[in-house]
Coordinates of all heavy atoms in Angstrom, one line a residue:
A18 N -5.0 10.4 19.0 CA -4.7 11.1 20.3 C -4.1 10.1 21.3 O -4.7 9.0 21.5 CB -5.9 11.8 20.8
M19 N -3.1 10.5 22.0 CA -2.5 9.7 23.1 C -2.2 8.3 22.7 O -2.3 7.3 23.4 CB -3.5 9.6 24.3 CG -3.9 11.0 24.9 SD -2.5 11.9 25.5 CE -2.1 10.9 26.9
A20 N -1.7 8.1 21.4 CA -1.4 6.8 20.9 C -0.1 6.3 21.5 O 0.8 7.2 21.9 CB -1.3 6.8 19.4
D21 N 0.2 5.0 21.5 CA 1.4 4.5 21.9 C 2.5 4.9 20.9 O 2.2 5.0 19.7 CB 1.4 3.0 22.0 CG 0.5 2.5 23.1 OD1 0.3 3.2 24.0 OD2 -0.1 1.3 22.9
Q22 N 3.7 5.2 21.4 CA 4.8 5.7 20.5 C 5.8 4.6 20.4 O 6.3 4.0 21.4 CB 5.4 7.0 21.1 CG 6.5 7.5 20.1 CD 7.1 8.8 20.6 OE1 8.0 8.8 21.5 NE2 6.7 9.9 20.1
I23 N 6.2 4.2 19.2 CA 7.2 3.2 18.9 C 8.4 4.0 18.3 O 8.3 4.5 17.2 CB 6.7 2.2 17.9 CG1 5.3 1.6 18.4 CG2 7.7 1.1 17.7 CD1 4.6 0.8 17.3
V24 N 9.5 4.0 19.0 CA 10.7 4.7 18.6 C 11.6 3.7 17.9 O 12.0 2.7 18.5 CB 11.4 5.4 19.7 CG1 12.7 6.1 19.2 CG2 10.5 6.4 20.4
V25 N 11.9 3.9 16.6 CA 12.8 3.0 15.9 C 13.8 3.7 15.0 O 13.7 4.9 14.8 CB 11.9 2.0 15.0 CG1 11.0 1.2 15.8 CG2 11.1 2.9 14.0
G26 N 14.8 3.0 14.6 CA 15.7 3.5 13.6 C 15.5 2.8 12.3 O 14.7 1.8 12.2
S27 N 16.1 3.3 11.3 CA 15.9 2.7 9.9 C 17.2 2.2 9.4 O 18.3 2.5 9.9 CB 15.3 3.7 9.0 OG 16.1 4.8 8.8
H28 N 17.2 1.4 8.3 CA 18.4 0.9 7.6 C 18.3 1.3 6.2 O 17.3 0.9 5.5 CB 18.5 -0.6 7.8 CG 19.6 -1.2 7.1 ND1 20.9 -0.9 7.3 CD2 19.6 -2.2 6.1 CE1 21.7 -1.6 6.5 NE2 20.9 -2.3 5.8
I29 N 19.3 2.0 5.7 CA 19.3 2.4 4.2 C 19.7 1.1 3.4 O 20.7 0.5 3.6 CB 20.3 3.5 4.0 CG1 20.0 4.7 4.8 CG2 20.4 3.8 2.5 CD1 21.0 5.8 4.7
T30 N 18.8 0.8 2.5 CA 19.1 -0.4 1.7 C 19.4 -0.1 0.2 O 20.1 -0.9 -0.5 CB 17.8 -1.3 1.7 OG1 16.7 -0.6 1.2 CG2 17.6 -1.8 3.1
A31 N 18.9 1.0 -0.3 CA 19.2 1.3 -1.7 C 19.2 2.8 -1.9 O 18.5 3.6 -1.2 CB 18.1 0.7 -2.6
V32 N 20.0 3.3 -2.9 CA 20.1 4.7 -3.2 C 20.2 4.9 -4.7 O 21.0 4.1 -5.4 CB 21.4 5.3 -2.6 CG1 21.5 6.8 -2.9 CG2 21.4 5.2 -1.0
T33 N 19.4 5.8 -5.3 CA 19.5 6.2 -6.7 C 20.1 7.6 -6.7 O 19.5 8.5 -6.2 CB 18.2 6.2 -7.4 OG1 17.6 4.8 -7.4 CG2 18.3 6.6 -8.8
V34 N 21.3 7.7 -7.3 CA 22.0 9.0 -7.3 C 21.8 9.6 -8.7 O 22.0 8.9 -9.7 CB 23.5 8.8 -7.0 CG1 24.2 10.2 -6.9 CG2 23.7 8.1 -5.7
Y35 N 21.5 10.9 -8.7 CA 21.3 11.7 -9.9 C 22.5 12.6 -10.1 O 23.3 12.8 -9.1 CB 20.0 12.5 -9.9 CG 18.8 11.6 -9.6 CD1 18.2 11.6 -8.4 CD2 18.2 10.9 -10.6 CE1 17.1 10.9 -8.1 CE2 17.1 10.1 -10.4 CZ 16.5 10.1 -9.1 OH 15.4 9.3 -8.9
P36 N 22.7 13.3 -11.2 CA 23.7 14.3 -11.3 C 23.7 15.3 -10.2 O 24.7 15.8 -9.9 CB 23.5 14.9 -12.7 CG 22.8 13.8 -13.5 CD 22.0 13.1 -12.5
Q37 N 22.5 15.6 -9.7 CA 22.4 16.4 -8.5 C 21.3 15.9 -7.7 O 20.1 15.9 -8.1 CB 22.1 17.9 -8.9 CG 22.0 18.8 -7.7 CD 23.3 18.9 -6.9 OE1 24.4 19.0 -7.5 NE2 23.2 18.6 -5.6
G38 N 21.6 15.4 -6.5 CA 20.6 14.8 -5.6 C 20.5 13.3 -5.6 O 21.2 12.7 -6.5
A39 N 19.8 12.7 -4.7 CA 19.7 11.3 -4.6 C 18.3 10.9 -4.0 O 17.8 11.6 -3.1 CB 20.8 10.7 -3.8
Q40 N 17.8 9.8 -4.4 CA 16.6 9.2 -3.8 C 17.1 8.1 -2.9 O 17.8 7.1 -3.3 CB 15.6 8.7 -4.8 CG 14.4 8.0 -4.2 CD 13.4 7.5 -5.2 OE1 12.7 8.3 -5.8 NE2 13.4 6.2 -5.5
V41 N 16.8 8.1 -1.6 CA 17.2 7.2 -0.6 C 16.1 6.3 -0.2 O 15.0 6.8 0.1 CB 17.8 7.9 0.6 CG1 18.3 6.9 1.7 CG2 19.0 8.8 0.2
T42 N 16.3 5.0 -0.2 CA 15.3 4.0 0.3 C 15.7 3.4 1.6 O 16.8 2.9 1.8 CB 15.1 2.9 -0.7 OG1 14.7 3.4 -2.0 CG2 14.1 1.9 -0.2
R43 N 14.9 3.6 2.6 CA 15.1 3.1 4.0 C 14.1 2.0 4.4 O 12.9 2.1 3.9 CB 15.1 4.2 5.0 CG 15.7 5.5 4.6 CD 15.5 6.6 5.6 NE 16.5 6.5 6.6 CZ 17.6 7.2 6.7 NH1 17.9 8.0 5.7 NH2 18.4 7.0 7.7
E44 N 14.5 1.1 5.1 CA 13.5 0.0 5.6 C 13.5 0.0 7.1 O 14.5 0.2 7.8 CB 13.9 -1.3 5.0 CG 13.8 -1.4 3.5 CD 13.9 -2.8 3.0 OE1 13.8 -3.8 3.8 OE2 14.2 -2.9 1.8
V45 N 12.3 -0.2 7.7 CA 12.1 -0.2 9.1 C 11.3 -1.5 9.5 O 10.3 -1.8 8.9 CB 11.3 1.0 9.6 CG1 11.1 1.0 11.1 CG2 12.0 2.3 9.1
E46 N 11.9 -2.3 10.4 CA 11.2 -3.4 11.0 C 10.8 -3.1 12.4 O 11.6 -2.6 13.2 CB 12.1 -4.7 11.0 CG 12.5 -5.1 9.6 CD 11.4 -5.9 8.9 OE1 10.4 -6.2 9.5 OE2 11.6 -6.2 7.7
F47 N 9.5 -3.3 12.8 CA 9.1 -3.0 14.1 C 7.9 -3.9 14.5 O 7.3 -4.5 13.7 CB 8.7 -1.5 14.2 CG 7.5 -1.1 13.4 CD1 6.2 -1.1 13.9 CD2 7.7 -0.9 12.0 CE1 5.1 -0.7 13.1 CE2 6.6 -0.5 11.2 CZ 5.3 -0.4 11.8

Side-chain angles (χ1 to χ4, degrees):
M19 303 299 292
D21 293 335
Q22 186 179 75
I23 308 168
V24 180
V25 294
S27 63
H28 176 60
I29 300 175
T30 56
V32 179
T33 298
V34 184
Y35 305 104
Q37 182 59 51
Q40 178 179 282
V41 179
T42 299
R43 322 175 79 94
E44 297 190 18
V45 180
E46 297 283 350
F47 62 99

